Amino acid sequence: SEANQQHFAKDKEEQKMSNNKEKGNKPKKKPAKKFTFFLKWFFIVLLILTLLGTILGVALAYSWIKDAPVLDMSNFEYIEPTSVVDKNGDFYQELQGKEKRDIVDIDDVPEHVKNAFIDIEDERFDAHNGVDIQGLTRAALNVVTTRSLDGPGGSTITQQLIKLTHLTPDKKIERKVIEMYLAIQLEREWTKEQILESYLNKVGFANAWGIQAASQTYFRKDVKDLSIAQAAVLSSIIKSPTNYKPYLIEEVEEGVYDIKKDESGKIIHNEKNLSRALAVIEKMKELNHVTSEEYDLAKEQLKNNDFDLHEPAETEIYSYFTDELYIQIVDDIMESDKFNFDSKEQAQNYLLNSGLTVHSTIDLKVQSVLDEKFADDNLFPSQSNAAKQASKAMSDSLGKEVNYMPEGAMTIIDNSDGSVAGMIGGRNKEKSRSLNRATEKYQVGSSTKPLTVYGPGIETNAFTLGTTYDDVPININGWKPKNSGNSYEGMTTVREGLRRSRNTIAVQAWHDVGLENSVKY
């Protein structure tokens, strides 16, 4: 019967489940239709979103690239300082621009120095077309996992050169896309050797720009003579010149900073630079660019701070002549129709960073005499009591030593053409663009008397040195010139009036010379 069949089927099903349980098998369940439906649509939506995201990304990148600056090859020209030469065309001084640089040809850079930079910054430099997909992918994954743009950017040496010459250092995706676009363009214009040469000459090293200037600054040697350890130290700086320069700066006293040294006076190696330099030589060994022996030696030198690190040389101080030359050239540039600068700062930047040669009128023989004589303290009077007291009072007030000494200044003019052959504006010069007493506008005081009164009077026979005037208080239409200390001596010769700088004698003598003659002289 139908009831018996249903009962039999039920018993059969129960027996089957019992057998499965005895075998340790669970009964199979078919996936729910709803879950299968959801999974199918999930992947469809994900695919659509990925496609839309890709389209949007491509469109956004295109809009950025469309408005990107063009590849300007003139941007790769180097900023070089301006040189001043004397009247004979011989070098005199260098105007210090914002980038201290000495250009070096790529053929003069040793292979181990090139590799130190390539291996740590862009190990696939010779293989890519300006953009390293592998490095870029790793950088993108880092951004996704850390949700930050502060990690490694996957930039190739070509991209770094583009950033140095065409773009700002802002960490933005837009800038990165434009950077890659221009890097690919540059690789079509230049060879790898040209790109590397420009990069090594352009990049900053904290106290120098370019590999040659950095080599001289930190090791006092040319780039061709750098050791592997020294190359690793330099290649480590460019990651962040402020943080990775080879030494540390400490405040030795309030407001005074210096390079940190140990008890023996040796420069202490910055730990950040050391760590990265060790990573550099490790990478060079991994890529077979140094032997095991070379690696061991470089590692020992780095860990023992035994790679001959030097302090940067002190910046040369402009002479008083160069100070005035600088001021006049900037003024001339601003007034010239050949230039169109909106501010003095722009004119100064042009003067300092355009690699110009300034032909000056300085006569080094004349200037050397001025420098020598003004350095001889025996040629100057000793410090007066009043100056000593003033020095002490000012030192106490400021909390630092102030010492007022007799000063002097001199300008030597070549009378054949009116050019300045030499200039000095003080006895001690401690910085560039400082007080220049040779050009400062001071009250001429009594120094004008021989020039506008006594000289013209004697030459025109208005009086002689023996002529006498009455040294008494005088009144000329309300003008009442007085002597220093309000002292008067009665009848006095021109000779004595000049010697003692009596104002009343000079005024009366000037009256006899006449305004017209005085002005002429």
Side-chain angles (χ1 to χ4, degrees), residues 10-292:
K10 183 178 179 182
D11 288 344
K12 190 175 181 180
E13 182 66 24
E14 288 177 353
Q15 182 64 39
K16 185 177 179 181
M17 290 179 66
S18 176
N19 291 339
N20 284 338
K21 190 175 293 186
E22 289 176 3
K23 292 179 181 179
N25 297 328
K26 295 181 180 179
K28 293 181 181 179
K29 293 182 179 179
K30 295 181 180 180
K33 289 185 178 180
K34 287 185 178 179
F35 180 74
T36 305
F37 178 80
F38 171 77
L39 198 62
K40 181 175 71 173
W41 277 104
F42 172 78
F43 281 111
I44 292 174
V45 171
L46 183 63
L47 183 63
I48 293 172
L49 290 176
T50 303
L51 185 61
L52 288 175
T54 302
I55 294 172
L56 180 62
V58 171
L60 195 59
Y62 174 76
S63 69
W64 289 336
I65 292 172
K66 182 171 63 68
D67 297 328
V70 297
L71 184 67
D72 187 351
M73 302 307 289
S74 67
N75 287 1
F76 298 104
E77 296 174 1
Y78 307 111
I79 293 178
E80 293 186 85
T82 290
S83 297
V84 178
V85 298
D86 68 4
K87 70 173 189 176
N88 298 317
D90 296 325
F91 177 80
Y92 174 55
Q93 272 198 319
E94 184 177 89
L95 299 184
Q96 295 131 25
K98 62 183 179 181
E99 296 184 5
K100 179 183 178 183
R101 177 182 281 108
D102 189 2
I103 308 304
V104 64
D105 191 282
I106 194 64
D107 293 333
D108 295 327
V109 181
E111 286 301 315
H112 67 269
V113 177
K114 297 178 190 175
N115 289 332
F117 284 83
I118 292 173
D119 292 354
I120 197 65
E121 292 292 327
D122 185 6
E123 62 180 277
R124 287 172 290 277
F125 174 68
D126 291 325
H128 62 65
N129 66 342
V131 177
D132 181 12
I133 300 300
Q134 184 175 332
L136 190 64
T137 303
R138 186 169 60 249
L141 289 174
N142 181 75
V143 171
V144 172
T145 55
T146 64
R147 298 179 182 179
S148 171
L149 295 175
D150 291 334
S155 291
T156 63
I157 283 177
T158 314
Q159 288 176 249
Q160 292 181 46
L161 180 58
I162 288 294
K163 183 170 71 173
L164 285 170
T165 56
H166 285 73
L167 305 172
T168 65
D170 297 338
K171 290 192 174 184
K172 295 180 179 178
I173 296 178
E174 177 183 352
R175 196 267 297 162
K176 198 68 168 179
V177 170
I178 295 173
E179 177 187 289
M180 291 188 290
Y181 168 70
L182 293 178
I184 293 171
Q185 284 192 310
L186 180 59
E187 292 264 355
R188 295 171 181 169
E189 296 287 334
W190 272 359
T191 65
K192 293 288 186 178
E193 287 283 281
Q194 287 175 304
I195 292 171
L196 185 60
E197 178 180 277
S198 182
Y199 175 77
L200 291 177
N201 280 308
K202 275 280 186 185
V203 72
F205 290 86
N207 292 83
W209 282 260
I211 185 70
Q212 173 65 12
S215 180
Q216 285 290 347
T217 297
Y218 295 110
F219 304 116
R220 307 285 171 85
K221 59 171 62 173
D222 289 332
V223 64
K224 63 183 177 62
D225 299 320
L226 288 174
S227 68
I228 292 172
Q230 290 169 338
V233 167
L234 292 184
S235 65
S236 300
I237 299 174
I238 59 177
K239 177 178 174 64
S240 173
T242 301
N243 296 313
Y244 284 83
K245 56 179 175 285
Y247 46 73
L248 300 167
I249 304 297
E250 64 175 349
E251 189 173 16
V252 293
E253 57 182 88
E254 187 175 355
V256 179
Y257 296 85
D258 199 3
I259 293 174
K260 192 172 184 179
K261 302 181 180 69
D262 61 20
E263 293 179 355
S264 66
K266 189 174 185 179
I267 298 172
I268 295 176
H269 191 192
N270 182 359
E271 284 289 340
K272 288 184 177 180
N273 183 277
L274 170 61
S275 176
R276 187 159 177 84
L278 290 172
V280 170
I281 60 172
E282 187 74 40
K283 195 70 176 177
M284 292 176 75
K285 181 184 177 184
E286 176 191 325
L287 298 175
N288 296 318
H289 288 150
V290 293
T291 65
S292 295

Side-chain angles (χ1 to χ4, degrees), residues 438-492:
T439 57
E440 278 290 307
K441 292 179 173 64
Y442 291 101
Q443 287 288 350
V444 293
S446 294
S447 65
T448 191
K449 294 171 185 174
L451 302 174
T452 60
V453 178
Y454 298 125
I458 291 171
E459 190 165 81
T460 61
N461 297 317
F463 48 75
T464 69
L465 285 173
T467 301
T468 59
Y469 294 96
D470 197 1
D471 184 13
V472 295
I474 56 178
N475 186 333
I476 304 174
N477 297 326
W479 177 41
K480 301 175 181 179
K482 299 178 180 179
N483 291 331
S484 177
N486 285 323
S487 63
Y488 302 94
E489 302 293 335
M491 298 304 294
T492 304

